[in-house]
Amino acid sequence: MQPALDVQVREVGLRDGLQAVAAPLATSAKLAWIRAEAEAGVREIEVTSFVPARLLPQFADAEEVVAQALRLGGLQVVALVPNLRGAERALALGVPKLDYVVSVSRTHNLRNVRREREASLEDFRRIVQARDAAGRHHTTTLAAGLSTALGCSYEGRIAVDEVRRCAAFLAEAGAQEILVADTVGYGDPRQVREVLRGVLAEVAGIPVAAHFHDTRGLGLANVLAALDCGISRFDASLGGLGGCPFAPGASGNIVMEDLVFMLESMGLRTGVDLERLLAVRELAARHLGADQMHGALASAGLPRHYRGAGDGARPH
Ligand code: ZN
C-alpha cells in the first residue's frame, strides 16, 4: 500500500503545458516523461487531451499515450475531454479519470470551445450519462473544471457568484471532483480564499482541487491561500511548462518542483522525491529545450540541509 499523503500534486504539463507547444513532442518522449515522473512519486498525471487532432496536432497520439500510461502501476491516469465526443473516445479506452472543463467566463468559453457556457455545462450531464451507459460508473471518475474562475483576459474580473453557480451545477450533475482554475494567472491570495470558500460552500462533500498559473508570480502565494481553506489537491507542471493558446498573455502553470519544495519544507507529505523530480525535469528539458522551463529550485538547487516531510520515516 502507498503511504498516506497530506497533499496530492498532479502533473498537468503533458496537457496544459504541451498544448502551448506547437511542435509535437514525440510519443516516446511523452511516455518517458510520464514513467519517470510516476517513479519520482507523482501519483496522478493528466497525460493528454482528447481534442480533435486537427485543432491541436500535439495530441494526435492521445490514444497511444493513454494505452501505454495505463500499463504503469500505481499511477492515476487522467485525460482532458473538451466535449462529449472526446469523452466517448476516452471512455472507450477505459481512462480511469476524465477532466471536463467549462469556462466561467462566457467569452472565454466561446473562444475556447466555440459554445455558449450554458451549452457546455449541459454537456457535462451528457458525459455523465455516457459514462454510466458505458457501465463505467464505478471505474471512471468524472472531474469538472471551472476555468477562468479567478479572472479572464477578455472579461476581467469574474463574479464569485458566477463561479459558485457553475460549481453548484456541475456538482449536482454528478461531478466527483471540482477543479478551480486560474487559467490566466489573474488571481491573488485574498481572491483565492473568497472563491474557494464560495465553491466549498456549494459542493459540500466533493473534493475541490486548485489549478494556478504563475503568470504574475502569485502562484505559490495562491497555493498557500488555498491550503488555508483546506484544499489539498494541486495541479502543477514540471518546469512551469504551460499556458493557454486562447488566453492571450497567459504563461505557465505553477512549477511542480517549486510547489513540492514548498509543501515538503512545510512538513506536508506529497510522496514526491525531489531529487528524482529534478532529474525528470532535465529529461523533459532535453526534448523541449531548456528555454521552455522555468522555476527557482532548479536554478538554485536544494538547500544543503533539506529534508522532505516524509524523509524521517523513509529507510536509508
Ligand atoms: Zn491551465
Side-chain angles (χ1 to χ4, degrees), residues 240-261:
L241 187 72
C244 175
F246 305 104
S251 68
N253 295 94
I254 55 170
V255 177
M256 177 62 88
E257 314 86 89
D258 294 359
L259 172 67
V260 170
F261 174 66

Side-chain angles (χ1 to χ4, degrees), residues 16 211 213 253:
D16 206 344
H211 173 109
H213 281 239
N253 295 94

Side-chain angles (χ1 to χ4, degrees), residues 97-128:
K97 184 172 177 184
L98 308 187
D99 259 355
Y100 176 71
V101 176
V102 180
S103 285
V104 184
S105 156
R106 294 167 191 279
T107 314
H108 186 267
N109 201 68
L110 271 174
R111 305 238 178 155
N112 199 13
V113 291
R114 299 178 185 85
R115 306 192 71 184
E116 291 293 340
R117 187 186 77 186
E118 270 57 35
S120 286
L121 286 168
E122 282 298 335
D123 231 20
F124 184 67
R125 282 193 203 282
R126 294 188 195 96
I127 290 171
V128 174

Side-chain angles (χ1 to χ4, degrees), residues 160 164 167 192-203:
V160 179
R164 291 179 68 141
V192 165
R193 282 191 196 94
E194 188 186 2
V195 170
L196 286 174
R197 285 183 183 140
V199 168
L200 286 163
E202 298 288 344
V203 305

